[in-house]
Amino acid sequence: MVDIQKLLEVMGALRSDCPWDRQQTFASIAPYTVEEAYEVADAIAREDWSGLRDELGDLLFQVVFHSRMAAEAGHFEFSDVVDAICDKMERRRPHVFGTSEQRARGVVAGDWEAQKAAERSDTDASSELDGVTLALPALSRAAKLGKRAARVGFDWPDQAGVEAKIAEELVELREARELADQDAIQHELGDVLFAVVNWARHLKVDPEKALTGANRRFEERFRLLEQSLQQQGRALKDCDLDTLEAAWTNAKNRLNRNA
């Protein structure tokens, strides 16, 4: 087993001897932590396994960095982080770490959420929505908020109810546009997006994954469109909409044939 002590010693040396590392705080490092998590996800999406190894190292370094600063401030040690996650996983997976009866029973639907709810009840949480991280991307946070509310019955009974809500929000968005009220437009567009995220939940689709796929398809098609026009000696900005639409359709068809 690899000894993580070497990494802890490297971090200690950086905090002692490197001016840049010494001046960092939790707040200044947090954006890097989020960025590294996204780079891990990107390496997985690209199936870049050597890249994933490196990105996981970068993410682990972030954990060690925050733990070192916490230790310096007297909050907790890195070992406390390890103990906390081990304890949490053991609590939440009784089918693996529980009593012989719990292990024999196997996975029970709802156990995970029940354990998380019990953990929240041991804190100062006053709402079902407590603990939904503010720093999540808005799309993912909307999905979590909707799921939490649905667990206690605050939800549409079926997909038709969500679709009707989306139609209602679109009407309100059009009314805001007619008034040329930019604040109202932003407000109503947000409501449309929130309703669509809840529709995704009813469709059993991860909205973040769905939009990531749409982004990828758009990028692939747009790049192919650019290449096609360049091969014809035409600049994108000089083409009319009909030409662009035809080039877009051609790019889409070519990618579909190669799929």
Side-chain angles (χ1 to χ4, degrees), residues 105-239:
R105 185 177 59 177
V107 178
V108 176
D111 266 4
W112 175 270
E113 290 299 337
Q115 178 59 48
K116 289 175 68 176
E119 291 168 7
R120 287 196 297 273
S121 70
D122 291 335
T123 68
D124 295 329
S126 60
S127 168
E128 288 291 332
L129 304 181
D130 286 349
V132 179
T133 309
L134 288 169
L136 282 173
L139 201 64
S140 294
R141 190 162 193 269
K144 284 185 175 290
L145 289 171
K147 184 178 180 181
R148 283 284 188 90
R151 283 212 307 256
V152 291
F154 191 79
D155 195 12
W156 294 275
D158 50 34
Q159 293 180 27
V162 196
E163 292 174 25
K165 184 61 176 178
I166 294 171
E168 174 189 324
E169 298 295 354
L170 285 170
V171 169
E172 293 178 4
L173 176 57
R174 283 193 292 270
E175 290 172 351
R177 287 179 55 208
E178 289 168 1
L179 294 173
D181 183 338
Q182 197 60 35
D183 288 339
I185 290 171
Q186 178 172 300
H187 176 106
E188 299 301 343
L189 181 58
D191 288 348
V192 170
L193 293 172
F194 191 84
V196 169
V197 168
N198 279 282
W199 193 19
R201 176 170 52 80
H202 276 262
L203 293 169
K204 296 181 171 53
V205 170
D206 179 344
E208 193 76 37
K209 186 175 181 180
L211 186 56
T212 297
N215 289 343
R216 175 184 51 77
R217 291 191 299 275
F218 177 84
E219 184 174 7
E220 289 174 347
R221 293 166 186 172
F222 192 84
R223 289 180 182 276
L224 194 55
L225 175 152
E226 287 178 312
Q227 294 170 8
S228 175
L229 292 174
Q230 287 169 0
Q231 289 168 359
Q232 299 173 34
R234 310 176 76 171
L236 193 73
K237 62 183 178 60
D238 296 330
C239 296

Side-chain angles (χ1 to χ4, degrees), residues 49-61:
W49 309 124
S50 63
L52 177 60
R53 176 202 60 206
D54 293 342
E55 299 302 345
L56 286 171
D58 291 343
L59 185 57
L60 177 59
F61 182 77

Side-chain angles (χ1 to χ4, degrees), residues 60-82:
L60 177 59
F61 182 77
Q62 294 295 308
V63 175
V64 170
F65 206 146
H66 285 287
S67 299
R68 174 72 187 199
M69 291 187 291
E72 291 168 358
H75 300 316
F76 55 80
E77 303 282 339
F78 176 76
S79 59
D80 297 318
V81 175
V82 175

Side-chain angles (χ1 to χ4, degrees), residues 5-23 61 64-65 68 72:
Q5 186 60 37
K6 180 179 179 181
L7 179 56
L8 297 176
E9 291 171 358
V10 167
M11 185 72 254
L14 291 173
R15 286 290 284 181
S16 297
D17 302 328
C18 176
W20 186 88
D21 289 285
R22 276 204 311 269
Q23 70 184 12
F61 182 77
V64 170
F65 206 146
R68 174 72 187 199
E72 291 168 358

